[in-house]
Amino acid sequence: MTARAATRLLACALAAFVAGCAQLVPQTVALRSEWPQGVPQTVELKSVPFFPQDDYQCGPAALATVLAYSGVDITPDPLVKQVFVPARKGSLQLEMLAAPRTYGRVSYELAPKYDDLLREVAAGNPVVVLQDVSLMSPFIAEWHYAVVNGFDYPSGTIYLRSGKTERQEMPFSYFEREWMAGKYWAMVVTPPGRIPATASEDRWVNAVIAMSRVGGADAALKGYEAALKRWPGDLPAMIGLANLHNDHGEHARAISILRDAQAKHPQSAIVTNNLAQALSDAGRNSEALAQIDKISDPQSPFATEIKSTRALILQRLAQQKAGNRR
Amino acid sequence: MTSTIKKMTCRILVISMLGLGFQTARAGMIGADQAAAVQGAQSDRAAVMSVLNRSETTAQLQALGVDPQSARERVASMTDQEVHTLAQDIQTAPAGAMSGWGWAAVVIVVAAIWYFAYRK
């Protein structure tokens, strides 16, 4: 074998080794060459509380950690009833997302990227992650939730509140292996007025809507207002906010939001229907009728609702007339 | 034959009971979730499916040891999409729960291999 061939072979072997590494921990390798812009290299959120977990209770412990950090007065105990599944001896991701809503907090699932994880921590939002901590991964999985509350780029370390360890230090690469097995699943929990650093318009507004089902009117109000401050033309947020006001008898505010929404989204049948309803609730039935008659599409998916709104307005108009005659 | 009728009756009752609660919610305002829905509006079929999914997921949670009251509340805090997903994979989705028993399992397996393979 010539020296040249040997060199070539060595180069190939080296390339294969590097490629192999990149496959093992692709995102860590990417971070090595390109650190996300604007993210400091060392962050540690020291005030993130720590709740040492009991057996199998890492879900409630991780949730309590982020909920308490977001200002809710809570311990893991009441959360056991909300997320723990006895027969599975653990907590499911979807329930982890659902539980914070009942405390008026918005849970937001992050994009499966190291960049986003780091950005959220840097922005002051501790991140709940799902790891497979089994030694025999991927053959036997042992799922675990922990909270990332810091990192240090120069030493390549991730800091976590995890299980019974208050300050777990883990290399970026090792953490990625465990996190990758959980498909890079990560979530943050924030008060409704605080939009996560990596949130996108649609997904954040959807997260607020999901919270508004069970989180109380106050929290929903704050969520919609914050969303509209950032994204003033967002249709679902405008509708959500107007509906809340209308439910609380503040028809004038609902009407003004819906008029604004109508100017921005003139083709939305929902806006027009709701505007008509709010006008009618405010006693302005002839204006309401004029609005609802603007919708001419009988194929609209909301045809049933529109028809019943129209019927209600006509009924109220008839009552008004009868009242006037008397 | 009778069991089919019984099943159908049960289904109809479940849907009608759950349906009552939903219909009285809001008279004329269409919800923000409808505006945000990816597919646009929620069809009647989707609404029925959502009700069925909710009752099914609640039942599954109960079967997995969650008490009925909590199961209902837990399902109530999920979106239709989430309930649908959970109904599909509640048995297989990862359930986070580090226990320390993983180590014990490793030790037992290694001990068993040693015992049966080498100790003759």
Side-chain angles (χ1 to χ4, degrees):
Chain A
M1 205 198 296
T2 63
R4 213 169 137 196
T7 322
R8 202 174 288 163
L9 196 70
L10 194 71
C12 278
L14 200 68
F17 177 72
V18 170
C21 273
Q23 253 172 14
L24 279 176
V25 284
Q27 297 203 19
T28 306
V29 172
L31 280 182
R32 217 165 276 167
S33 55
E34 201 183 348
W35 185 250
Q37 267 189 347
V39 176
Q41 299 208 335
T42 302
V43 175
E44 189 173 2
L45 308 172
K46 291 208 167 96
S47 57
V48 173
F50 173 60
F51 299 102
Q53 72 169 83
D54 300 326
D55 254 8
Y56 304 121
Q57 307 292 12
C58 62
L63 267 191
T65 307
V66 287
L67 275 172
Y69 189 73
S70 80
V72 180
D73 184 17
I74 199 164
T75 61
D77 279 342
L79 288 164
V80 172
K81 247 185 106 176
Q82 280 188 283
V83 294
F84 187 65
V85 183
R88 295 288 315 272
K89 292 196 176 67
S91 309
L92 302 163
Q93 288 148 287
L94 280 170
E95 295 216 86
M96 295 287 284
L97 280 163
R101 295 173 189 153
T102 54
Y103 298 91
R105 293 293 181 269
V106 184
S107 25
Y108 184 82
E109 190 179 338
L110 301 186
K113 291 190 293 195
Y114 234 128
D115 280 22
D116 285 23
L117 170 85
L118 300 172
R119 251 179 230 291
E120 288 301 343
V121 175
N125 300 319
V127 179
V128 179
V129 290
L130 177 70
Q131 303 161 274
D132 179 2
V133 295
S134 166
L135 291 170
M136 290 179 283
S137 170
F139 306 107
I140 300 173
E142 199 176 322
W143 299 107
H144 174 60
Y145 293 106
V147 178
V148 176
N149 72 321
F151 54 83
D152 181 51
Y153 181 60
S155 65
T157 315
I158 292 271
Y159 303 123
L160 303 115
R161 301 256 188 270
S162 176
K164 291 185 165 67
T165 320
E166 181 162 4
R167 188 173 187 271
Q168 189 177 41
E169 298 179 19
M170 227 184 222
F172 272 64
S173 52
Y174 193 76
F175 173 75
E176 183 176 354
R177 286 301 298 167
E178 294 192 346
W179 187 34
M180 191 191 215
K183 295 191 180 139
Y184 296 107
W185 186 86
M187 68 178 255
V188 291
V189 171
T190 60
R194 184 183 160 94
I195 303 175
T198 64
S200 72
E201 179 177 346
D202 287 355
R203 297 190 52 213
W204 173 253
V205 172
N206 278 332
V208 172
I209 293 172
M211 185 273 289
S212 70
R213 300 171 63 95
V214 287
D218 268 4
L221 200 76
K222 281 183 196 149
Y224 289 131
E225 278 172 349
L228 287 171
K229 206 169 168 193
R230 171 87 67 90
W231 300 290
D234 188 87
L235 180 63
M238 287 175 123
I239 290 171
L241 187 60
N243 288 1
L244 274 178
H245 283 314
N246 203 55
D247 283 355
H248 290 111
E250 304 205 30
H251 306 305
R253 288 175 86 168
I255 290 166
S256 100
I257 294 165
L258 286 168
R259 283 215 194 277
D260 186 19
Q262 200 177 40
K264 283 169 178 150
H265 307 271
Q267 75 292 0
S268 166
I270 302 178
V271 169
T272 312
N273 173 77
N274 288 11
L275 179 56
Q277 178 71 38
L279 283 166
S280 167
D281 289 347
R284 295 152 65 176
N285 283 303
S286 18
E287 281 175 77
L289 189 64
Q291 284 293 340
I292 202 87
D293 282 342
K294 275 191 191 171
I295 315 172
S296 48
D297 179 15
Q299 294 298 314
S300 160
F302 302 104
T304 335
E305 283 91 342
I306 292 162
K307 223 170 124 187
S308 69
T309 309
R310 193 166 189 278
L312 179 77
I313 296 168
L314 287 175
Q315 187 195 336
R316 283 177 176 172
L317 267 174
Q319 276 171 359
Q320 265 182 351
K321 272 184 198 146
N324 289 345
R325 230 173 280 145
R326 229 175 274 143
Chain B
M1 188 60 203
T2 39
S3 87
T4 350
I5 293 170
K6 269 185 197 161
K7 267 185 193 165
M8 274 318 291
T9 320
C10 279
R11 278 178 195 154
I12 291 164
L13 279 176
V14 165
I15 294 170
S16 55
M17 282 178 76
L18 288 163
L20 278 177
F22 287 104
Q23 278 167 3
T24 50
R26 187 172 280 151
M29 301 296 258
I30 299 171
D33 52 336
Q34 297 287 306
V38 188
Q39 301 296 325
Q42 192 189 39
S43 63
D44 291 345
R45 183 177 172 278
V48 172
M49 286 311 289
S50 145
V51 172
L52 281 178
N53 278 330
R54 276 180 196 276
S55 65
E56 190 189 331
T57 309
T58 310
Q60 282 185 338
L61 279 175
Q62 284 181 39
L64 292 173
V66 177
D67 74 84
Q69 176 68 23
S70 307
R72 263 198 301 278
E73 284 168 13
R74 283 158 70 155
V75 172
S77 60
M78 291 177 210
T79 63
D80 289 349
Q81 182 63 43
E82 287 167 345
V83 171
H84 179 72
T85 311
L86 196 60
Q88 308 294 316
D89 66 359
I90 196 166
Q91 299 289 348
T92 51
M98 188 171 66
S99 64
W101 281 100
W103 274 104
V106 174
V107 171
I108 291 166
V109 169
V110 170
I113 290 171
W114 173 78
Y115 185 85
F116 289 111
Y118 297 103
R119 201 170 160 275
K120 286 259 161 82

